[in-house]
Amino acid sequence: MPDTHPTPTAPGGGLVPAPLSIDGPGRGTVRLGADTALAAGPGTEDTARWLRDTLGAAFGLPLPPGSGKTPDTLDLAVDPALPPEGYRLAADARWGVRITGGGPAGVFWGAQTLRQLLGPHAFRRAPLAPGCAAVLPEQTIEDAPRFAWRGMLLDVARHFLPKDGVLRALDLLAAHKLNVLHLHLTDDQGWRIEIRRYPKLTEVGAWRERTKLGHRTSPLWDERPHGGYYTQDDLREIVAYAAQRHITVVPEIDIPGHSQAAIAAYPELGNTDVIDTTSLKVWDTWGVNPNVLAPTDTTLRFYEHVLDEVLGLFPSPFVHIGGDECPKDQWRASATAQARIAELSPADEDALQSWFIRHFDRWLADRGRRLIGWDEILEGGLAPGAAVSSWRGYAGGIAAAKSGHDVVMCPEQQVYLDHRQHASPDEPVPIGFVRTLEDVYRFEPVPPELTAEQAAHVLGAQANVWTEVMDSQQRLDYQVFPRLAAFAEVAWSRLPAPAARDYQDFTRRMAAHYTRLDALGVGYRPPGGPLPWQKRPGVLGRPIDGAPPNV
């Protein structure tokens, strides 16, 4: 039979993200074939199943169970002496491949490295021809991540992504050794999670009549209704699929702003003494919405009931409650809100928002969970266990870490992947600052202002994918890739200071990685610019000129 991949990959296989060390390769090669057995030690069962589903399918290999004591074996084991997510991959022609992880996750990340070493064929779902060879050079790789939180936010509220798209996103995160999916489930433009106690949240809140095309000042509209939501069984499936890939799904239920979809479904949640909330519909455009939740006991009980169901679906220790971009105009005009201020004696409407956040901070803590929110939640102070997503720049994260709070760094100016990738007018719906592949590669999550003790509060980093102008999988792929690969290396690898990073080496390794993305069917932005079908001529964006501020 023809061997369509007879040559092993180059030393290191163009690995992305870069590992800590590679010893070798030697002169020999290791070939996984029809007789290769898969020996799965305790704690490696999920990885063994994943290998059979991926490498087994790609190369037509049965990978039958083995003992690990015979030649030609793919051996998986846990060794607690290694870091929990660390691994050692050793390939030797005398006995095959051994992947040892400090825990089950470490074994899985080692398996991801093996897949990369086997070349782009390993990323296909069936053999390209009978006898496709799975070959890699003899070598030993030692590796472990820099950060425990290596995440991506996926906004499914602005444009709904069907369940299969979320499962595909999880596979792509796993392929880049990212381990957190922050799922933005609710916003003004849509409510995407089934809450059985409140069926109107999806009957009404999951659908909008039309959608603005491009930036909110664009004259164009998509007149088709848009919507969708995940049933609770859909979300259980997503969470289980993620867990098999050692990814935590962090749910976000946004309060007290970004809530018009909920108010459209249940008008009593809004400031009824200021506006006619029964007239509100799910919002069809973008920007900061003035319609926010009323600070009433009715609202608190409603969201407690919502979160009761959320906690039953998501085992994540963190629950994100948003807390950002909450205009206070309606509270200033509301007699009910002003009465609440007088009752609680906070200083002003900003402190009223802090009261909102603190209530759910305590509520979640009483149930063994931790609140995390956007950096606006720092205003008015936080309970000790709360964590902060620093999005407006570094400042919120610096303040939080100095105050002893854990931080996830996701500054808009650096890692918002809805921002444009080039200054060319051909970029589709250009939003924000130019953030090139190299710009993302030189992102540093730990600000130099922090002491070592304060820096320990930086849990990690996250790239945020806001989908106002991403209305399809094709648009998502274009905005997210290849920049997510650069972000993954920043979050995983122990890179030098930004100016000292070897971007040329990264681009050399990306040449191999593009072939993997091709095999996966990812419609990334080519290095030379958008292909004709990736452009969106005539759809207005919001480009910002100049370098982003370092704030």
Side-chain angles (χ1 to χ4, degrees):
M1 293 295 182
D3 185 342
T4 60
H5 187 52
T7 305
T9 53
L15 294 176
V16 176
L20 276 172
S21 69
I22 302 175
D23 182 14
R27 295 182 179 179
T29 60
V30 178
R31 180 181 295 259
L32 306 181
D35 296 327
T36 300
L38 178 55
T44 72
E45 295 84 1
D46 282 345
T47 298
R49 187 180 306 111
W50 180 85
L51 283 166
R52 289 191 176 98
D53 289 344
T54 54
L55 298 189
F59 294 105
L61 302 178
L63 296 177
S67 67
K69 298 179 180 179
T70 60
D72 195 11
T73 300
L74 176 50
D75 187 21
L76 311 178
V78 170
D79 179 359
L82 296 173
E85 288 191 276
Y87 68 88
R88 180 187 305 110
L89 186 155
D92 191 298
R94 294 170 296 177
W95 36 258
V97 178
R98 292 174 184 164
I99 299 174
T100 307
V107 177
F108 183 71
W109 304 132
Q112 293 290 345
T113 295
L114 172 63
R115 190 186 193 190
Q116 289 198 17
L117 291 171
L118 292 171
H121 285 53
F123 291 81
R124 297 194 178 272
R125 297 186 183 183
L128 298 188
C132 280
V135 182
L136 69 158
E138 291 185 311
Q139 61 194 293
T140 299
I141 296 174
E142 301 269 359
D143 204 5
R146 179 185 180 191
F147 292 110
W149 185 302
R150 308 180 301 280
M152 185 186 84
L153 175 143
L154 181 59
D155 170 17
V156 295
R158 271 51 176 271
H159 278 101
F160 178 66
L161 186 66
K163 181 193 70 177
D164 284 354
V166 178
L167 300 179
R168 176 180 183 266
L170 288 165
D171 280 332
L172 290 171
L173 293 184
H176 293 83
K177 299 186 174 73
L178 298 173
N179 67 346
V180 175
L181 175 64
H182 173 170
L183 206 53
H184 183 76
L185 289 162
T186 72
D187 216 296
D188 299 304
Q189 296 86 1
W191 184 282
R192 306 295 178 213
I193 172 174
E194 177 191 22
I195 301 297
R196 291 174 178 168
R197 183 167 183 149
Y198 299 118
K200 289 183 181 179
L201 286 172
T202 46
E203 291 172 2
V204 175
W207 305 90
R208 59 178 181 260
E209 293 179 353
R210 64 176 186 169
T211 300
K212 173 65 70 174
L213 282 177
H215 186 248
R216 60 180 175 271
T217 58
S218 165
L220 302 177
W221 294 89
D222 183 341
E223 297 292 348
R224 297 173 297 174
H226 176 84
Y229 66 92
Y230 309 109
T231 68
Q232 294 200 358
D233 281 347
D234 289 338
L235 291 166
R236 290 187 183 96
E237 179 184 356
I238 287 168
V239 168
Y241 194 84
Q244 290 171 351
R245 288 150 182 77
H246 300 277
I247 296 172
T248 298
V249 183
V250 176
E252 181 181 355
I253 306 295
D254 212 338
I255 57 172
H258 290 282
S259 297
Q260 183 161 317
I263 298 170
Y266 291 93
E268 64 270 22
L269 298 174
N271 294 284
T272 57
D273 58 346
V274 177
I275 63 164
D276 177 12
T277 56
T278 64
S279 68
L280 294 179
K281 298 180 178 180
V282 178
W283 213 25
D284 57 12
T285 190
W286 320 120
V288 178
N289 190 309
N291 297 305
V292 302
L293 297 175
T296 64
D297 290 343
T298 295
T299 300
L300 297 183
R301 299 293 89 75
F302 183 96
Y303 276 90
E304 287 171 1
H305 296 150
V306 167
L307 289 169
D308 268 330
E309 297 193 28
V310 170
L311 297 189
L313 296 169
F314 295 91
S316 164
F318 288 97
V319 175
H320 207 292
I321 51 75
D324 63 317
E325 296 181 328
C326 179
K328 311 300 191 298
D329 293 344
Q330 290 185 357
W331 288 351
R332 294 187 184 98
S334 166
T336 300
Q338 292 302 310
R340 177 68 80 178
I341 290 175
E343 172 192 337
L344 300 170
S345 299
D348 54 18
E349 289 77 18
D350 288 338
L352 183 59
Q353 179 175 347
S354 176
W355 165 81
F356 233 119
I357 302 304
R358 281 175 171 269
H359 174 85
F360 288 102
D361 190 354
R362 292 189 299 270
W363 189 91
L364 288 167
D366 288 345
R367 288 153 182 81
R369 305 297 184 97
R370 293 182 65 186
L371 180 146
I372 185 169
W374 303 112
D375 53 58
E376 287 97 327
I377 69 172
L378 286 164
E379 298 163 5
L382 283 178
V388 171
S389 300
S390 188
W391 77 274
R392 290 180 294 180
Y394 287 104
I398 292 169
K402 287 184 174 181
S403 299
H405 292 284
D406 288 340
V407 178
V408 175
M409 285 293 187
C410 48
E412 174 186 16
Q413 302 85 350
Q414 310 297 328
V415 287
Y416 267 36
L417 300 187
D418 52 324
H419 283 214
R420 58 194 173 133
Q421 302 180 65
H422 196 277
S424 166
D426 288 336
E427 288 301 306
V429 200
I431 297 294
F433 296 102
V434 173
R435 294 287 82 192
T436 66
L437 182 66
E438 182 172 359
D439 290 329
V440 174
Y441 189 67
R442 297 194 189 280
F443 164 59
E444 173 49 49
V446 179
E449 297 94 322
L450 299 180
T451 66
E453 182 179 358
Q454 293 163 350
H457 285 290
V458 179
L459 300 177
Q462 182 170 286
N464 291 347
V465 181
W466 300 105
T467 62
E468 287 95 334
V469 299
M470 289 180 244
D471 55 3
S472 66
Q473 179 176 291
Q474 182 185 61
R475 284 287 291 122
L476 274 169
D477 280 2
Y478 182 90
Q479 290 298 131
V480 172
F481 291 98
R483 291 184 295 181
L484 192 70
F487 171 82
E489 183 147 315
V490 168
W492 176 277
S493 305
R494 286 165 172 77
L495 299 177
R501 292 176 188 172
D502 190 345
Y503 181 67
Q504 293 306 312
D505 175 68
F506 175 72
T507 57
R508 177 190 64 79
R509 288 181 284 114
M510 278 301 299
H513 199 62
Y514 284 123
T515 65
R516 301 176 191 128
L517 296 178
D518 288 333
L520 287 168
V522 176
Y524 57 84
R525 182 190 188 274
L531 299 168
W533 56 86
Q534 293 174 319
K535 301 175 184 178
R536 296 288 292 273
V539 181
L540 185 67
R542 185 183 60 90
I544 303 174
D545 293 330
N550 187 19
V551 295

